């Protein structure tokens, strides 16, 4: 049997230093963690995921490596959270609205027009007692929130001109499987159709749906403007991302490694927020050059059209919860001008 001394001799004979021996062992014993998202390889989400992976490896001194899978290679958004629960994945980053089947009251974060700009949205997600309460319920569901990332404000991409809510009447529009989003779309006049984001491009191309709604970064990275060139900047829902970790994976780490992962999530999330905000105008310009037609509508008209969703939410979730969420957002808007 080869002992440590013999192995060290072999290492020296191969031209390697003895001081490198522990590094080799760490590399061989590193635990690989799987990270899934549905953005493409060119989106800001992928860049942030790669940054996160590098930071985790560094912060844990190589004890953990993160393998990133983009474009829904392992799972669509909804299924990625299911995989966190059963141990099929270790990390998933997806829209906060995707978590609503697991924590029902999270639907209220998709109430229309809670935030007017990124800074207001960031403060809402960083300080809201209502949102913190919903996040605290996730570990019992097998997953843990470890970072606030960014997608942006949801807008429409359609294959027909969308000049006003009247143009939406009866049109089939793809939505995520979120009740609040459905209510907003129905209030505006659309006929919503639930469909995984990875199937939307083909769905529009085949006219199964006439468009979809998502933030600018997603519209660009998924190239929805190629099949639905009319982009309406309705900003109807502030829709950031949550980076979640499988609870069993988190609990299996030492306290120091847990801290390293949380630090990596914060750093990559802060970068992701800044990047998405800075990129909006650039991406719109690029999409325009490729044939997209951008419309900046009067948001007051769209806000009024979406009000029916608030009333349906009060009936479903209770007036107290809805008014708390709306009130917290209103206080932030007022304090930030």
């Amino acid at each position: 049997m080869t002992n440590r001394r013999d192995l060290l001799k072999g290492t020296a004979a191969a031209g390697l230093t003895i001081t490198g021996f522990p590094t080799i062992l760490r590399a061989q014993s590193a635990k690989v963690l799987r990270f899934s998202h549905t953005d493409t390889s060119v989106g800001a989400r992928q860049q942030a995921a790669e940054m996160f992976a590098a930071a985790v490896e560094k912060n844990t001194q190589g004890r953990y490596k993160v393998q990133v899978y983009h474009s829904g290679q392992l799972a669509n958004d909804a299924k990625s959270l299911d995989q966190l629960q059963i141990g099929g994945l270790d990390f998933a980053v997806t829209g906060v609205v995707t978590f609503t089947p697991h924590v029902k009251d999270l639907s209220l974060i998709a109430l229309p027009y809670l935030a007017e700009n990124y800074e207001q949205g960031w403060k809402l997600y960083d300080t809201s007692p209502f949102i913190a309460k919903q996040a605290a319920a996730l570990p019992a569901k097998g997953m843990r929130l470890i970072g606030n990332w960014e997608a942006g404000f949801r807008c429409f991409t359609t294959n027909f001109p969308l000049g006003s809510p009247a143009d939406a009447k009866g049109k089939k529009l793809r939505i995520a499987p979120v009740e609040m989003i459905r209510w907003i779309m129905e209030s505006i006049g659309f006929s919503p159709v639930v469909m995984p984001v990875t199937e939307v491009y083909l769905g529009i191309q085949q006219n199964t749906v006439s468009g979809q709604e998502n933030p600018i970064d997603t519209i660009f990275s998924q190239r929805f403007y190629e099949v639905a060139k009319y982009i309406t900047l309705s900003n109807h829902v502030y829709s950031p991302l949550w980076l979640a970790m499988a609870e069993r994976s988190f609990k299996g780490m030492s306290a120091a490694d847990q801290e390293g992962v949380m630090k990596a999530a914060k750093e990559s999330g802060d970068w992701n927020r800044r990047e998405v905000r800075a990129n909006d105008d650039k991406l719109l310009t690029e999409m325009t050059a490729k044939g997209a037609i951008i419309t900046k509508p009067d948001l007051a008209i769209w806000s009024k059209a979406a009000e029916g969703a608030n009333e349906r939410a009060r009936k479903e979730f209770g007036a107290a919860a809805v008014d708390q969420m709306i009130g917290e957002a209103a206080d932030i808007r007022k304090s930030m001008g």
Side-chain angles (χ1 to χ4, degrees):
M1 179 179 292
T2 301
N3 59 29
R4 177 184 173 90
R5 180 176 298 175
D6 292 334
L7 188 54
L8 285 172
K9 287 180 180 178
T11 300
L16 301 175
T17 62
I18 292 177
T19 55
F21 180 64
T23 302
I24 294 171
L25 281 186
R26 283 200 300 270
Q28 291 175 339
S29 61
K31 181 175 176 59
V32 178
L33 304 175
R34 303 207 301 173
F35 184 129
S36 174
H37 68 84
T38 57
D39 198 9
T40 66
S41 61
V42 300
R45 204 173 310 182
Q46 173 68 9
Q47 295 177 60
E50 291 172 348
M51 183 182 298
F52 172 75
V56 168
E57 184 172 357
K58 177 183 176 182
N59 294 348
T60 63
Q61 290 77 51
R63 287 183 290 274
Y64 290 92
K65 290 180 179 292
V66 178
Q67 178 65 51
V68 179
Y69 297 86
H70 59 77
S71 305
Q73 295 174 67
L74 300 184
N76 63 33
D77 287 302
K79 289 182 179 178
S80 70
L81 300 186
D82 295 339
Q83 287 296 309
L84 286 184
Q85 293 179 304
I86 64 175
L89 289 172
D90 302 287
F91 301 102
V93 62
T94 182
V96 181
V97 292
T98 312
F99 292 81
T100 57
H102 304 278
V103 180
K104 183 178 179 181
D105 282 2
L106 261 178
S107 293
L108 299 186
I109 56 92
L111 284 163
Y113 296 98
L114 292 178
E116 298 170 338
N117 54 52
Y118 282 106
E119 287 76 15
Q120 291 177 8
W122 296 345
K123 187 170 183 179
L124 180 65
Y125 273 77
D126 290 343
T127 66
S128 162
F130 180 86
I131 294 175
K133 180 181 178 181
Q134 311 316 313
L138 288 174
K141 306 289 185 178
M143 62 192 92
R144 173 180 293 260
L145 170 63
I146 62 171
N148 283 304
W149 287 24
E150 188 58 84
F153 288 84
R154 302 183 83 87
C155 302
F156 296 113
T157 317
T158 55
N159 59 12
F160 63 93
L162 187 60
S164 73
D167 296 324
K169 188 173 178 60
K171 298 288 188 179
K172 290 183 179 180
L173 190 89
R174 178 271 172 181
I175 63 167
V178 179
E179 204 166 31
M180 185 63 63
I181 298 292
R182 177 168 64 84
W183 293 343
I184 293 172
M185 297 306 108
E186 289 176 346
S187 181
I188 289 172
F190 284 109
S191 177
V193 177
V194 172
M195 182 184 297
V197 72
T198 49
E199 299 175 12
V200 174
Y201 188 101
L202 185 61
I204 298 175
Q205 193 173 48
Q206 296 180 340
N207 212 34
T208 303
V209 291
S210 298
Q212 62 87 51
E213 51 89 47
N214 252 308
I216 292 169
D217 186 73
T218 303
I219 292 170
F220 177 80
S221 66
Q222 298 285 348
R223 307 195 325 274
F224 292 145
Y225 61 90
E226 294 180 352
V227 289
K229 68 178 182 179
Y230 297 97
I231 301 175
T232 304
L233 305 181
S234 53
N235 291 358
H236 47 277
V237 173
Y238 174 60
S239 187
L241 307 169
W242 270 356
L243 172 60
M245 183 174 183
E247 182 68 1
R248 69 178 67 190
S249 300
F250 185 82
K251 290 294 189 182
M253 289 182 164
S254 68
D257 287 342
Q258 289 175 351
E259 183 179 350
V261 168
M262 296 297 290
K263 181 181 179 183
K266 177 69 165 60
E267 291 172 351
S268 54
D270 287 348
W271 178 88
N272 184 254
R273 278 179 164 180
R274 295 190 300 269
E275 181 74 4
V276 171
R277 179 183 61 179
N279 274 349
D280 275 357
D281 288 341
K282 181 181 73 174
L283 297 182
L284 289 171
T285 298
E286 188 168 341
M287 287 188 285
T288 298
K290 294 180 178 180
I293 298 173
I294 313 297
T295 301
K296 295 183 178 181
D298 180 352
L299 297 187
I301 295 174
W302 290 90
S303 178
K304 183 174 179 59
E307 284 179 354
N310 293 344
E311 295 312 308
R312 292 183 71 171
R314 286 188 172 91
K315 293 178 182 178
E316 178 70 22
F317 296 93
V322 174
D323 291 342
Q324 180 184 353
M325 186 74 266
I326 291 176
E328 288 179 5
D331 288 344
I332 288 173
R333 292 197 305 272
K334 183 177 180 180
S335 68
M336 300 184 71

